[in-house]
Amino acid sequence: MIFESDFSLKNYNTFGINAKANQFVAVHSKEELASVLQNHNDIFILGGGSNMLLTRNIEKLVIHVALKGIEIVDTNEDFVWVKANAGENWHEFVLYCIEKNYGGIENLSLIPGNVGTTPIQNIGAYGVEIKDTFFCCEAMEIATQKLVTFDKESCVFGYRESIFKNELKNKYIITSVTFKLTKKNHYLNTSYGAIETELNTQNITSPTLKDISNAVIAIRKSKLPDPKELGNSGSFFKNPIVSKSSYEKAKANYPEIPHYPISDTEVKVPAGWLIEQAGFKGKRFGDAGIHKNQALVLVNYGTATGAEILAVAKEIQQAIFEKFGIAIEAEVNII
Ligand code: EPU
């Protein structure tokens, strides 16, 4: 293991923020991880760096989880249980599964980040969430270095939520995730309008896993910036879940406000719509901005600091609250 000092994290966060780590080490095995945890208290865990905004230098030891490897842990006629170590790149893992004809995560193609962080915020896109195929994950308790297995129920998944973002925040490091995927009779989720349209455009009537993945990739590429070209962290905000009465109040002034039913008393409102209506879509403040094709995504045009991006986020939150009476909350972790 190589410990580096005063280390730039620019290439380790998809926003491309040039914050520094006091010390940095990449760990490639559970043994290395346990040994680093035994010897250091003041630590910061870094996975793929795709869901965070660094607003300051990290005056701690940054541990980059780089555990690699994919294995089949069980199989029967219909299903396969595939375990991927936390440091595997998510999209490469999706492509590996499609190649083997393992179904269930094709709608989650091209999401940036690593496998180990996917359960933390229960990543989701185009009608599918990680919880739909999640079987279990293994995690190391930071305080004791003990390995614990969490099944689906104990992860308490919700919309962009899990126990790892709440009660167990900063208590465990996920080392691997096991997915239960289909080997045949795949359940293809094409219900999301944009997927259907994309498949129709391509004249595909009985899509394969690969067709769905390609459709998702095409949709994402048309709307979402590639972090390699333009720093970003995907959706910066969550779509707010509001009471029906708050929604009705906003609707009185803005009759066209979209909404999706959540329960008898709550609805989800697309934050991208609110931000666009408030006039922020495509705006730029120095090197910080709001993406031109998807208002939920904040971008770094080059040398924006995390604090500058955060200032834009706060301005958006305030404007939305004043205009619609709806509070929107960041989805990314603000560090
Ligand atoms: N909308 C606008 N303007 C915008 C963006 C969206 O009016 O600039 C409206 C759209 O017209 C549509 C609605 O908002 O009526 C929903 O838009 P879209 O289908 O693009 O999805 P989203 O709610 O904006 C969510 C996820 C994305 C995911 C897509 C597709 C969240 C916070 N975001 O976005 O996830 O890819 O659905 O499933 O739930 C991510 O988390 O990083 C991410 C990209």
Side-chain angles (χ1 to χ4, degrees):
M1 278 182 289
I2 303 165
F3 287 80
E4 312 225 33
S5 299
D6 203 23
F7 185 85
S8 170
L9 297 171
K10 191 170 168 55
N11 295 329
Y12 287 85
N13 71 102
T14 58
F15 252 124
I17 304 290
N18 190 22
K20 289 198 170 152
N22 195 7
Q23 264 202 308
F24 176 93
V25 67
V27 294
H28 298 91
S29 67
K30 287 187 267 196
E31 294 70 29
E32 284 188 357
L33 178 59
S35 122
V36 172
L37 292 177
Q38 258 162 29
N39 295 305
H40 298 84
N41 291 322
D42 217 8
I43 56 157
F44 178 91
I45 306 300
L46 178 68
S50 63
N51 200 41
M52 61 182 207
L53 177 66
L54 290 164
T55 63
R56 55 182 170 84
N57 290 333
I58 312 278
E59 306 291 344
K60 298 179 177 194
L61 168 65
V62 171
I63 304 176
H64 177 48
V65 180
L67 279 63
K68 303 278 188 210
I70 298 174
E71 75 181 285
I72 308 299
V73 287
D74 201 358
T75 182
N76 64 22
E77 209 174 304
D78 299 313
F79 297 101
V80 58
W81 285 257
V82 190
K83 174 172 154 181
N85 282 331
E88 285 288 336
N89 173 273
W90 172 256
H91 180 59
E92 281 167 26
F93 175 64
V94 172
L95 293 181
Y96 165 93
C97 293
I98 290 168
E99 183 71 21
K100 303 265 183 206
N101 196 34
Y102 301 155
I105 53 176
E106 53 286 347
N107 292 44
L108 303 176
S109 296
L110 213 61
I111 294 185
N114 288 351
V115 167
T117 38
T118 59
I120 299 177
Q121 56 148 346
N122 181 25
I123 61 165
Y126 309 106
V128 172
E129 287 180 336
I130 205 73
K131 73 163 170 40
D132 305 330
T133 49
F134 177 96
F135 183 71
C136 67
C137 68
E138 186 190 66
M140 191 177 287
E141 191 179 21
I142 293 174
T144 61
Q145 294 90 52
K146 273 200 190 117
L147 289 168
V148 180
T149 298
F150 291 87
D151 64 10
K152 191 188 293 202
E153 211 161 71
S154 49
C155 292
V156 199
F157 290 123
Y159 167 59
R160 295 297 199 273
E161 286 291 349
S162 78
I163 196 160
F164 301 109
K165 258 180 117 172
N166 294 294
E167 288 96 305
L168 299 186
K169 190 171 177 174
N170 297 331
K171 298 224 165 18
Y172 285 87
I173 299 170
I174 294 174
T175 52
S176 71
V177 185
T178 303
F179 299 89
K180 182 183 175 185
L181 303 172
T182 48
K183 282 165 72 176
K184 58 184 187 188
N185 304 325
H186 303 303
Y187 174 71
L188 302 179
N189 192 329
T190 57
S191 58
Y192 207 88
I195 296 190
E196 225 167 349
T197 312
E198 185 64 35
L199 293 171
N200 286 341
T201 319
Q202 295 177 30
N203 282 323
I204 296 169
T205 44
S206 33
T208 61
L209 300 178
K210 186 80 190 157
D211 292 332
I212 305 246
S213 171
N214 286 341
V216 167
I217 290 172
I219 300 163
R220 288 188 75 96
K221 282 194 169 158
S222 71
K223 279 196 168 187
L224 298 165
D226 179 350
K228 288 194 194 97
E229 286 156 23
L230 188 60
N232 76 89
S233 210
S235 302
F236 191 90
F237 300 102
K238 287 196 218 180
N239 289 327
I241 294 171
V242 302
S243 67
K244 274 199 172 154
S245 66
S246 302
Y247 163 72
E248 293 296 341
K249 266 190 214 153
K251 196 177 169 203
N253 294 323
Y254 303 94
E256 68 290 4
I257 185 169
H259 71 290
Y260 312 102
I262 291 290
S263 67
D264 286 348
T265 53
E266 289 176 317
V267 298
K268 188 150 82 173
V269 176
W273 186 90
L274 300 171
I275 298 168
E276 182 170 348
Q277 296 302 310
F280 285 100
K281 193 170 182 173
K283 269 203 173 175
R284 184 169 170 168
F285 305 83
D287 262 359
I290 297 97
H291 190 53
K292 63 179 190 334
N293 298 336
Q294 166 54 290
L296 256 188
V297 178
L298 301 189
V299 294
N300 174 9
Y301 283 100
T303 58
T305 62
E308 284 165 347
I309 291 173
L310 186 59
V312 171
K314 289 200 165 144
E315 196 175 325
I316 293 172
Q317 283 171 313
Q318 197 178 337
I320 300 290
F321 191 72
E322 281 167 12
K323 194 172 166 76
F324 300 101
I326 293 176
I328 58 169
E329 182 187 314
E331 192 214 270
V332 305
N333 295 309
I334 315 285
I335 311 295

